[in-house]
Amino acid sequence: MSLKQKSNLLSGSPNLSALSSGGGINIQSVRVKSIILDQNSLGFSGRGEWASLGGIFWSDINAPTPTGDINNDNFALPLFPNQKNFPLLEEIVYIIALPNTGIGESTSAVQYYYFQPINLWNSIHHNGYPPFTDSTLPESQQKDYQQVEGGSVRKVTDGSTEIKLGNTFKERLDVKSLLPYEGDIIYEGRWGNSIRFGSTVLRPNTPNLWSTVGEDGDPIIIIRNGQHDDGRDPWVPQLEDINKDQTSIYLISNQKIPIEVSSKNYTSYKVKPQSPSEYQGKQAIINSDRLLFNTKTDSILLSSQKTISLNARESVNIDAPQTIIQSSDIRLGDLNATEPIILGNSFLNEFQLLLNGLISLTTVLNTVGTPIPGQPNVAVTSASTLLTQQANQMLGKLESFKSKTSKTK
């Protein structure tokens, strides 16, 4: 397919009059009716295949068309190449006509592009509005929409929405927004996953878990995947809780995070490290049900200015073809272990010689007759002399049999 053919497929024939006002280009809000997410999506083959990924088919807000009734003119691509927020069906987006790939042949070649969905209900989960043919919502949906203090608010409480938001997207009523603080920059997904670029707020109207110490403005980044159930209505925003959220990463500057660790047994230390929940300072915390660190071609390197603590409620297991510990002082079993470990090979070699000498002596003693009074028994004398030499040699080496580094209790 040629570049020109792809350009024609992507652009269609935009009706610029719909977006023009006084000679300028306007931004228009439209309703999303279909979106191309893979090769099986409606319109994929007719809109440039993979070049159409993320593209939407839209309808006018006041006269929506059913999903599947695609107007080739009503097609738009994401506006930004590196940051995409794919809308759901029945969400409202802004579109604008801007140059397309045919600009090299004609400066008037244009294509519709869309911005991210309009924050209609101020919801991170979805902002779809049910399709309608007149100004009245179906009676079954009216209970989901309320007028609260002058604003239109969506509060679904019965578990049903009756809005088709997509083929796989199913609305969850328990997804909450994050409560913001002054100056926060927050990115939130549709499923309770979020990144907060925040700071310490010492005297907030609503206290949080990271602002008990430090100074206003101390930076913090909180990455959370999977929020917790706080028992409140789903439209009430919540705060991150490192002990209750499903998986969290905290990048901290000068905060104290009240994390509840699984094990805090530090009896191997002469001076115990500060409790994780009491430490204040620069640190990174990862908290989840399980952590996996894996390398495919090289090593995992752990380096610390002070100590590395391996702390578990059950056991610390090491499985490897070879385990090497290089240290000038190794304590096994207890911090105050003082008993040196015996060097096995050296000790056993010398001990074997001693045992062989004892065997030789007892063998001679079993076979020798009664000696002549006053005369030494030559066989016994030879064997005992050799055994004495071996014993003296072993006595002189006793200190060398002890490990200089490994000690136990």
Side-chain angles (χ1 to χ4, degrees), residues 200-387:
T200 295
V201 187
L202 292 179
R203 290 171 293 277
N205 294 327
T206 302
N208 59 58
L209 297 179
W210 62 87
S211 297
T212 58
V213 296
E215 299 180 359
D216 286 332
D218 288 338
I220 187 171
I221 298 176
I222 301 176
I223 303 174
R224 178 193 65 170
N225 184 47
Q227 59 188 211
H228 62 279
D229 181 8
D230 57 13
R232 300 200 295 177
D233 290 329
W235 50 83
V236 179
Q238 69 171 206
L239 292 169
E240 299 94 334
D241 188 322
I242 194 169
N243 297 308
K244 297 178 181 179
D245 292 329
Q246 295 181 26
T247 297
S248 303
I249 299 177
Y250 281 56
L251 304 178
I252 301 158
S253 62
N254 193 33
Q255 291 83 10
K256 184 189 294 185
I257 306 300
I259 184 172
E260 300 170 2
V261 295
S262 297
S263 178
K264 47 186 175 182
N265 180 6
Y266 304 110
T267 54
S268 63
Y269 283 82
K270 288 183 178 179
V271 179
K272 296 181 179 181
Q274 191 170 10
S275 169
S277 61
E278 293 298 323
Y279 182 84
Q280 178 185 354
K282 295 180 283 293
Q283 65 173 324
I285 300 176
I286 304 176
N287 191 37
S288 189
D289 289 349
R290 175 171 170 163
L291 300 181
L292 170 64
F293 298 92
N294 179 68
T295 63
K296 295 188 292 184
T297 59
D298 209 294
S299 308
I300 294 176
L301 304 177
L302 299 178
S303 177
S304 174
Q305 184 68 28
K306 290 186 176 181
T307 66
I308 295 177
S309 173
L310 300 178
N311 204 319
R313 298 187 66 177
E314 293 186 5
S315 66
V316 176
N317 297 16
I318 300 176
D319 298 300
Q322 187 178 40
T323 301
I324 301 171
I325 301 175
Q326 181 176 334
S327 176
S328 59
D329 188 2
I330 299 175
R331 308 292 177 94
L332 301 176
D334 190 83
L335 169 64
N336 300 312
T338 57
E339 295 291 331
I341 293 176
I342 298 298
L343 299 180
N345 288 337
S346 298
F347 176 79
L348 290 176
N349 287 338
E350 295 294 331
F351 192 56
Q352 185 179 26
L353 292 175
L354 180 62
L355 291 176
N356 287 335
L358 286 172
I359 292 171
S360 297
L361 178 60
T362 55
T363 301
V364 171
L365 290 176
N366 288 333
T367 60
V368 71
T370 302
I372 301 173
Q375 296 292 325
N377 188 307
V378 177
V380 173
T381 300
S382 175
S384 63
T385 300
L386 180 60
L387 182 59

Side-chain angles (χ1 to χ4, degrees), residues 70-315:
I70 293 177
N71 182 339
N72 283 330
D73 292 344
N74 294 358
F75 180 77
L77 287 174
L79 177 60
F80 302 109
N82 303 110
Q83 180 181 341
K84 298 181 176 70
N85 185 341
F86 297 116
L88 299 171
L89 305 187
E90 308 305 337
E91 288 191 320
I92 310 300
V93 299
Y94 286 118
I95 59 172
I96 186 172
L98 294 170
N100 69 0
T101 55
I103 192 173
E105 300 177 6
S106 172
T107 56
S108 62
V110 294
Q111 158 68 41
Y112 288 138
Y113 299 90
Y114 69 87
F115 298 84
Q116 64 184 24
I118 297 173
N119 192 18
L120 190 67
W121 303 111
N122 198 22
S123 167
I124 62 169
H125 191 47
H126 85 81
N127 285 277
Y129 197 92
F132 54 90
T133 56
D134 53 35
S135 58
T136 304
L137 290 173
E139 182 178 353
S140 60
Q141 294 175 345
Q142 289 180 7
K143 63 180 181 299
D144 293 349
Y145 302 86
Q146 305 173 14
Q147 292 292 326
V148 179
E149 296 183 359
S152 181
V153 178
R154 187 166 189 270
K155 292 185 176 182
V156 182
T157 58
D158 62 355
S160 62
T161 64
E162 301 180 16
I163 304 177
K164 180 177 174 55
L165 300 168
N167 294 325
T168 62
F169 188 96
K170 305 301 180 184
E171 183 175 16
R172 286 178 49 180
L173 303 183
D174 59 347
V175 178
K176 299 171 174 287
S177 299
L178 281 179
L179 183 71
Y181 292 93
E182 292 180 359
D184 280 356
I185 297 176
I186 298 176
Y187 296 94
E188 296 183 80
R190 297 184 186 267
W191 305 105
N193 36 11
S194 59
I195 303 176
R196 181 196 296 267
F197 295 86
S199 67
T200 295
V201 187
L202 292 179
R203 290 171 293 277
N205 294 327
T206 302
N208 59 58
L209 297 179
W210 62 87
S211 297
T212 58
V213 296
E215 299 180 359
D216 286 332
D218 288 338
I220 187 171
I221 298 176
I222 301 176
I223 303 174
R224 178 193 65 170
N225 184 47
Q227 59 188 211
H228 62 279
D229 181 8
D230 57 13
R232 300 200 295 177
D233 290 329
W235 50 83
V236 179
Q238 69 171 206
L239 292 169
E240 299 94 334
D241 188 322
I242 194 169
N243 297 308
K244 297 178 181 179
D245 292 329
Q246 295 181 26
T247 297
S248 303
I249 299 177
Y250 281 56
L251 304 178
I252 301 158
S253 62
N254 193 33
Q255 291 83 10
K256 184 189 294 185
I257 306 300
I259 184 172
E260 300 170 2
V261 295
S262 297
S263 178
K264 47 186 175 182
N265 180 6
Y266 304 110
T267 54
S268 63
Y269 283 82
K270 288 183 178 179
V271 179
K272 296 181 179 181
Q274 191 170 10
S275 169
S277 61
E278 293 298 323
Y279 182 84
Q280 178 185 354
K282 295 180 283 293
Q283 65 173 324
I285 300 176
I286 304 176
N287 191 37
S288 189
D289 289 349
R290 175 171 170 163
L291 300 181
L292 170 64
F293 298 92
N294 179 68
T295 63
K296 295 188 292 184
T297 59
D298 209 294
S299 308
I300 294 176
L301 304 177
L302 299 178
S303 177
S304 174
Q305 184 68 28
K306 290 186 176 181
T307 66
I308 295 177
S309 173
L310 300 178
N311 204 319
R313 298 187 66 177
E314 293 186 5
S315 66

